[in-house]
Amino acid sequence: MMKKVYFIVLTALLMVSCQTPPSGETNMEATNQTVESIMSRRSIRSYKAEQITAEQLDTLTECAINAPSALNKQSWEVRVIQKPDLIKAINDGFINFAKGKEMKGSASKAQQEGFSVFHGAPTIIVVANDTTNHYSEVDCGLLGQNILLAAESMGIGTCVVGSVIAYMRTPEAKEVIAQLNLPENFAPLYTISVGYPNEWPDAKPRDKAKVQVLK
């Protein structure tokens, strides 16, 4: 009887150990949550109206500020906007700013009815850099990637929106920027739309030739 049980257990273990991951997926991708989040994340340009929870937002901001930074200067300022009126004011300002200009990407649709530069996301994160620190833009980039990957791991969609920054740096946006209460020498660098996804786009091609290993 014991020999029979032993044989069954051994057979089960061998079957598990011999299982192969799906085509194109490494064992690391199949078991590592971080790698899975990196490989599955997409830019989301359609969101549900439902707001993310306070607990989820707290996790995102904690992950954000735990990013590395040069000399640990933490040369960023982060503002989370969930006030519909302020989001609308920024969107309306961008639409006016875009009139008569040749805009790229989704911003090219700025004059269409119902346009949202933030793709209708209920939460907007503004990341501002220290303009006196030449490492700051890199620091802010590292912070942003933490947000994107943490959000993906929680089933939250994100999209980095940079086109709106051109407007946010104009004199016309002065009143809007004042509401962000940024310290002197800090300026908006990019924004992130955040919310529950209402679409699941396919991955776009990646150019592996951009990577070279020198040995």
Side-chain angles (χ1 to χ4, degrees):
M1 180 66 179
M2 288 300 294
K3 288 183 177 180
K4 184 177 181 180
V5 172
Y6 176 81
F7 176 78
I8 293 173
V9 172
L10 180 60
T11 301
L13 287 172
L14 286 172
M15 290 178 64
V16 171
S17 65
C18 291
Q19 285 180 344
T20 57
S23 178
E25 184 182 61
T26 67
N27 285 322
M28 179 65 74
E29 290 172 15
T31 60
N32 187 294
Q33 178 66 53
T34 301
V35 174
E36 184 178 332
S37 293
I38 292 171
M39 300 304 292
S40 62
R41 189 207 162 266
R42 307 286 181 265
S43 292
I44 301 300
R45 294 179 174 87
S46 179
Y47 294 88
K48 297 178 181 178
E50 181 185 358
Q51 187 60 272
I52 64 173
T53 68
E55 292 76 16
Q56 289 172 325
L57 179 58
D58 184 60
T59 298
L60 291 181
T61 54
E62 281 294 313
C63 288
I65 62 175
N66 273 280
S69 61
L71 303 175
N72 194 34
K73 293 294 185 181
Q74 302 175 47
S75 61
W76 49 60
E77 288 287 332
V78 180
R79 299 293 181 269
V80 180
I81 305 175
Q82 293 186 324
K83 296 170 60 177
D85 289 348
L86 182 52
I87 294 175
K88 183 178 185 302
I90 297 173
N91 187 65
D92 290 348
F94 176 77
I95 292 173
N96 290 329
F97 167 81
K99 284 181 181 178
K101 295 183 176 67
E102 184 179 353
M103 309 301 291
K104 302 294 185 181
S106 58
S108 64
K109 303 176 183 178
Q111 304 312 311
Q112 294 182 8
E113 185 176 353
F115 172 81
S116 168
V117 70
F118 300 119
H119 310 294
T123 292
I124 308 303
I125 297 177
V126 179
V127 179
N129 70 299
D130 182 351
T131 59
T132 67
N133 182 335
H134 63 275
Y135 296 118
S136 186
E137 291 188 3
V138 175
D139 292 345
C140 289
L142 296 170
L143 173 140
Q145 186 73 337
N146 274 17
I147 294 173
L148 303 184
L149 297 182
E152 175 65 24
S153 74
M154 294 188 288
I156 297 171
T158 56
C159 184
V160 177
V161 179
S163 57
V164 72
I165 296 301
Y167 158 68
M168 295 179 76
R169 291 182 173 178
T170 64
E172 290 74 18
K174 185 177 181 179
E175 291 185 8
V176 168
I177 298 302
Q179 295 186 58
L180 301 181
N181 193 31
L182 294 173
E184 187 177 358
N185 298 323
F186 277 80
L189 182 63
Y190 62 88
T191 66
I192 304 176
S193 297
V194 181
Y196 297 123
N198 201 32
E199 65 171 6
W200 290 266
D202 293 330
K204 295 181 179 180
R206 293 297 192 264
D207 186 357
K208 290 188 177 181
K210 297 287 186 179
V211 180
Q212 297 185 16
V213 179
L214 308 180
K215 294 185 177 180

